[in-house]
Amino acid sequence: MHERIKILCDGKQIYLMIQDNERVSMLFIGLSRMGKTYFASKLGGELIRQGYHVHLIDLGDKWSAKDKRNLLSAGAVLRRITKEGLILKFNSVREACGCGKIIANALGFRSAKAVMVMQRAIKSLFILYRKQFTLVDLVKCLENTEGTGENREWQMKLWEHMDSCGELPDIIFQLDEGRDFSIENVIWDLSGLDDAYAQVVAYLINFCLLCQQKRKFRVGKTVGKIFIILDEFQVLDCNKRSIIGTCLTEGQKYGIALILITQFLMENFNETVIQQLKQGGFRFYFRLTEKEAAIVSKTLAGNHRECEELYRKLVSLPRGNCLMQGPHYIKNADEIMEGYRFVEIKCD
């Protein structure tokens, strides 16, 4: 029997408003060993049991075997990219060419020229191989294609960078309108990959899921909610034009919600990104640093006395306790509330 998670406030059970709510992305912030990952893993398991689809992207041994079991016991499957590879399915060459921007941006190239060169390479490979090609093919194409002038310069820059990032992951880009992995529950294990390629794979999985959800939406199919869990996401690009930023802002329309976990918010992101992250729907503040607690308490409090009280609590919260903010209701009550409250995470 699996342990059921409970969110309690003064002994009363709290329920998150997810089913009839479009904005259900979640932000978990707090110091290490305060219960963020444990809560996220238990919540992920509960979401699977409730009929949602969950994709945990483990950037590299960030999740313990115990935390992974909380999802595996609910029906998720474990996929080790270094052993099993990754097949990304798209319904058109145009859709697949979007990977050009994702890969270029993941490698740190923001130039429109770099993106164009990458997209042209992808298009040429589909013309050459018709149905599918690999990331290895893409790197070879950048090295061998005879370009001229600025195009050739960007080809060589991209090739040299990709060639220097360690062993290439086994990624297949495929034209196929068959079964997609958006309707599965998966733990994507990226351990063993070079850090740069772990980010490439993480972005590509997000992009592919977004494409699959958009596809269903456009043809009028029922679009169920997908939750993508990313721990220590501060290493990823979260600006508005990135795939993470797109999933946060545009993804909610297509049923995509992100569960983002990090120790520090203010120290890792600029104000624009922080405001974007806070628009997701739910926030869970575990024990914070003094600096972070001061800013959060000033944001939430209505007066100086309340601010001081919030600050004291946020810097001393015990493990498994957090400040929660987002649409919720109390058991046996009809009213939907969105104000903050301190809660305890328990299992029984």
Side-chain angles (χ1 to χ4, degrees):
M1 293 290 291
H2 66 272
E3 295 179 327
R4 301 302 297 267
I5 191 171
K6 285 187 176 181
I7 304 174
L8 301 174
C9 180
D10 297 328
K12 296 180 180 179
Q13 189 162 354
I14 304 299
Y15 295 88
L16 305 182
M17 194 65 188
I18 292 176
Q19 185 174 355
D20 299 319
N21 185 15
E22 188 178 80
R23 294 171 61 246
V24 291
S25 287
M26 303 180 188
L27 189 59
F28 289 66
I29 312 159
L31 296 174
S32 179
R33 304 186 67 79
M34 287 294 107
K36 302 187 305 298
T37 303
Y38 173 78
F39 180 25
S41 68
K42 284 291 186 182
L43 180 59
E46 287 296 312
L47 289 169
I48 292 173
R49 293 185 183 94
Q50 291 172 23
Y52 302 107
H53 294 108
V54 175
H55 291 260
L56 163 61
I57 302 178
D58 185 354
L59 292 169
D61 286 333
K62 307 296 184 184
W63 283 60
S64 69
K66 182 179 179 181
D67 288 330
K68 288 179 182 178
R69 278 199 299 272
N70 290 326
L71 278 79
L72 294 172
S73 64
V77 296
L78 178 64
R79 292 188 179 164
R80 296 181 175 90
I81 301 301
T82 53
K83 294 182 179 180
E84 302 175 44
L86 173 66
I87 300 177
L88 300 169
K89 297 183 179 183
F90 301 94
N91 72 342
S92 68
V93 172
R94 181 179 180 181
E95 187 179 78
C97 281
C99 294
K101 179 181 178 181
I102 301 301
I103 297 171
N105 289 174
L107 296 172
F109 294 93
R110 299 289 180 269
S111 167
K113 201 72 173 180
V115 172
M116 183 193 71
V117 166
M118 190 71 80
Q119 290 175 336
R120 283 183 176 178
I122 291 172
K123 186 175 181 179
S124 69
L125 286 167
F126 275 122
I127 293 173
L128 180 63
Y129 295 113
R130 301 193 65 179
K131 283 292 184 180
Q132 68 180 42
F133 65 89
T134 68
L135 186 64
V136 172
D137 294 326
L138 178 59
V139 174
K140 288 180 179 178
C141 179
L142 291 169
E143 179 188 13
N144 298 329
T145 301
E146 293 184 3
T148 58
E150 191 177 2
N151 284 353
R152 184 58 180 164
E153 289 179 14
W154 278 110
Q155 281 175 215
M156 293 309 298
K157 284 181 182 179
L158 289 163
W159 169 74
E160 288 172 356
H161 189 83
M162 295 179 78
D163 191 55
S164 68
C165 287
E167 186 176 352
L168 290 167
D170 179 15
I171 301 177
I172 295 175
F173 302 84
Q174 188 176 90
L175 295 183
D176 188 342
E177 296 184 16
R179 180 182 176 89
D180 59 51
F181 55 67
S182 67
I183 57 175
E184 300 174 7
N185 299 295
V186 185
I187 297 175
W188 300 96
D189 184 351
L190 311 190
S191 60
L193 296 180
D194 177 90
D195 288 346
Y197 281 125
Q199 291 189 28
V200 168
V201 172
Y203 293 150
L204 285 173
I205 291 172
N206 275 269
F207 177 66
C208 197
L209 286 168
L210 181 60
C211 288
Q212 291 167 1
Q213 290 291 92
K214 279 185 174 181
R215 199 180 307 152
K216 285 180 278 190
F217 181 85
R218 286 168 183 157
V219 298
K221 289 185 179 179
T222 301
V223 180
K225 282 190 175 68
I226 292 177
F227 290 85
I228 304 172
I229 305 176
L230 287 162
D231 201 352
E232 297 195 25
F233 76 98
Q234 70 277 359
V235 301
L236 303 175
D237 182 1
C238 296
N239 70 61
K240 190 174 182 180
R241 294 185 178 181
S242 70
I243 185 59
I244 303 299
T246 300
C247 285
L248 276 170
T249 55
E250 183 183 338
Q252 60 190 18
K253 177 180 177 181
Y254 304 106
I256 287 183
L258 301 186
I259 298 178
L260 302 173
I261 310 167
T262 187
Q263 290 190 45
F264 314 107
L265 197 62
M266 312 301 175
E267 295 179 19
N268 290 322
F269 304 102
N270 61 43
E271 186 60 31
T272 301
V273 172
I274 289 173
Q275 291 307 313
Q276 177 179 283
L277 292 170
K278 287 182 177 180
Q279 293 173 10
F282 295 93
R283 278 169 274 167
F284 299 91
Y285 297 100
F286 289 74
R287 185 188 298 179
L288 301 177
T289 63
E290 292 182 355
K291 180 180 179 180
E292 196 107 39
I295 296 173
V296 171
S297 58
K298 287 178 181 177
T299 302
L300 297 178
N303 54 61
H304 180 72
R305 182 176 179 180
E306 182 184 8
C307 181
E308 288 291 320
E309 184 179 354
L310 279 176
Y311 172 80
R312 286 194 298 271
K313 287 184 177 181
L314 287 169
V315 296
S316 59
L317 281 169
R319 178 179 170 84
N321 287 254
C322 64
L323 183 153
M324 183 196 85
Q325 187 176 24
H328 64 278
Y329 61 94
I330 300 173
K331 188 174 183 179
N332 300 323
D334 296 328
E335 182 184 0
I336 304 298
M337 294 163 278
E338 296 199 28
Y340 72 81
R341 64 173 67 236
F342 286 94
V343 299
E344 180 183 9
I345 313 302
K346 296 192 72 175
C347 288
D348 60 18

